[in-house]
Amino acid sequence: MGLLKAAVTSHSQRMKQLSSLPHWVLGCLCQGSATNFSTSVFVCTKLADMAVMADRCPTLELQEKWYPRWEANNYFFSGKKMKPGAATAAATTDAPPFVVMLPPPNITGTLHIGHALTVALQDTLVRWQGMRGADVLWVPGCDHAGIATQAVLEKRLLLQKGVTRHQLGRERFLQEAWQWKDAKEARIYEQLRKLGAALDWDRSVFTLDEGMSAAVRSAFIALYEKGLIYRSSRPVHYCPALQSVISDIEVEHLKLEGPTALTVPGHRSPVMFGQMFDIAYPVLSCEDHTRETGQMIIVSTTRPETIPADVAVMVHPSDERYTRLVGRRVANPCRPGQSMPIIADNAADPTLGTDRPAQSVTIL
């Protein structure tokens, strides 16, 4: 009885010591049969004297420890299935290749959460293919993003140095651009390393490298010769500050509730946007479509600059104000001698702008 009491007391003391350990530590150490429970308890009581484990994975410390080792051992380059003693990828075995190009981030800034998602997905595929025995090559790189980078750099120069690219001069501006590129590229590559990306850093590229530029020119010429690239006159977005055409993605759209004065790059004073203009379209005679009858169709628009390209005036077929004019022609107020038909279609909204009846007329 005395021995049993002593055993129970000893067991109770050990359980109190175990209670101070994290649950996941107990789960790892104390699983097993009844025969080795005493040994497990003994190990746990020894660990109870140690510092409490962190409740989160120390990702930064792990990254700083392991990623340099991965790079030093050339884990991330094509040809890692090399014969013993081989110094280059040329001495590889016949392992099937798996090649991926990292979508090159723009040097306009640094990586964001969208980049992290893309890198995580590609990294999963790359490592999986490597585990399957493929000879993996994941190529890193950065994109110069010409117009966007120029815009960011010009804003920076104006804020920090108070100069424009014209005042700075072409050569000085290019020097600033390359310095910007080197700094942003280094930061982006640092972020990719912190993400643990299995990239072959010896093969990193920049979209203005000679090899990349030659490939772009070759592809452009091939597409041109096939008729897939052509030159034509089209409406474009022109930036008065950059003095250049820009793509749709570079345009910032603003929704205005009414006339609003906005500051526009390249203009000393604000420019009024969202202002409605009433434009009179003279109705022409039915006989020769050249003589004005004195009747007018008033059209309200915020885009009077598009009037020279008008090809028709459209009204709703049930709008009694204009049904008698359907089939007639009107003159283009900005192009003397050019006429256009008045047509009817349900696409015209007769209820639009009840305080401005002319808004119910649509220009095509």
Side-chain angles (χ1 to χ4, degrees):
M1 177 64 71
L3 292 176
L4 179 60
K5 183 178 180 181
V8 172
T9 302
S10 177
H11 176 71
S12 176
Q13 291 174 342
R14 288 174 180 174
M15 292 306 295
K16 288 181 179 179
Q17 292 173 321
L18 286 174
S19 64
S20 64
L21 287 174
H23 295 293
W24 60 273
V25 175
L26 295 178
C28 294
L29 295 177
C30 300
Q31 290 179 358
S33 63
T35 56
N36 61 11
F37 180 73
S38 297
T39 304
S40 299
V41 171
F42 176 75
V43 172
C44 289
T45 54
K46 292 295 184 182
L47 286 176
D49 297 329
M50 299 172 60
V52 177
M53 283 190 174
D55 57 354
R56 293 184 180 181
C57 178
T59 53
L60 180 61
E61 290 80 358
L62 291 175
Q63 181 271 329
E64 292 176 346
K65 174 183 177 181
W66 288 109
Y67 201 89
R69 296 191 186 184
W70 293 343
E71 284 195 80
N73 287 278
N74 293 325
Y75 288 160
F76 303 148
F77 69 93
S78 178
K80 64 176 177 291
K81 303 285 184 181
M82 296 168 60
K83 296 177 181 178
T88 66
T92 62
T93 63
D94 294 329
F98 183 79
V99 182
V100 181
M101 176 69 205
L102 175 76
N106 294 345
I107 59 169
T108 50
T110 54
L111 301 188
H112 51 67
I113 191 65
H115 292 106
L117 174 61
T118 301
V119 170
L121 294 174
Q122 284 195 311
D123 193 59
T124 302
L125 292 174
V126 164
R127 292 176 182 269
W128 176 57
Q129 289 292 338
M131 294 169 66
R132 297 183 66 197
D135 191 11
V136 174
L137 171 59
W138 189 12
V139 182
C142 282
D143 188 357
H144 66 285
I147 292 178
T149 300
Q150 178 181 326
V152 172
L153 186 55
E154 284 196 55
K155 290 179 182 178
R156 176 173 173 268
L157 288 173
L158 194 60
L159 289 174
Q160 295 186 357
K161 299 184 180 182
V163 295
T164 65
R165 63 183 170 96
H166 303 288
Q167 295 171 328
L168 198 61
R170 178 181 176 84
E171 294 302 321
R172 287 282 306 280
F173 184 77
L174 286 176
Q175 291 178 7
E176 293 283 346
W178 283 109
Q179 291 174 5
W180 172 276
K181 173 261 179 185
D182 292 339
K184 291 300 178 182
E185 184 180 62
R187 175 57 179 157
I188 289 171
Y189 285 171
E190 178 188 3
Q191 289 179 298
L192 289 171
R193 285 180 165 91
K194 288 184 179 297
L195 289 173
L199 292 155
D200 184 352
W201 295 108
D202 291 337
R203 296 174 184 257
S204 61
V205 295
F206 183 57
T207 50
L208 284 185
D209 290 345
E210 183 54 39
M212 299 295 103
S213 297
V216 170
R217 290 193 297 269
S218 177
F220 187 92
I221 293 172
L223 292 172
Y224 177 78
E225 291 176 345
K226 293 179 180 179
L228 299 176
I229 293 179
Y230 56 90
R231 175 177 289 179
S232 182
S233 297
R234 291 290 187 274
V236 296
H237 299 297
Y238 184 82
C239 177
L242 294 173
Q243 297 184 8
S244 173
V245 174
I246 59 176
S247 67
D248 292 345
I249 198 173
E250 304 295 338
V251 176
E252 296 182 9
H253 296 274
L254 296 177
K255 185 176 181 180
L256 305 179
E257 299 297 335
T260 306
L262 299 175
T263 301
V264 177
H267 286 260
R268 294 181 180 274
S269 57
V271 177
M272 185 65 69
F273 288 87
Q275 183 172 350
M276 196 72 75
F277 296 89
D278 294 335
I279 310 297
Y281 287 71
V283 178
L284 302 177
S285 64
C286 299
E287 293 79 15
D288 55 8
H289 303 304
T290 59
R291 183 172 50 86
E292 296 184 9
T293 63
Q295 292 180 290
M296 300 285 181
I297 287 185
I298 308 299
V299 178
S300 296
T301 178
T302 59
R303 300 292 303 277
E305 72 276 10
T306 64
I307 292 176
D310 291 349
V311 295
V313 173
M314 183 172 67
V315 300
H316 196 277
S318 63
D319 193 334
E320 297 179 354
R321 296 171 297 175
Y322 307 110
T323 51
R324 59 186 175 80
L325 296 177
V326 174
R328 301 279 294 274
R329 299 184 73 87
V330 294
N332 189 316
C334 292
R335 302 185 69 176
Q338 182 187 21
S339 66
M340 66 187 81
I342 302 173
I343 63 176
D345 194 279
N346 291 330
D349 185 0
T351 65
L352 180 63
T354 54
D355 60 330
R356 300 180 64 90
Q359 291 184 19
S360 62
V361 181
T362 303
I363 295 297
L364 301 179

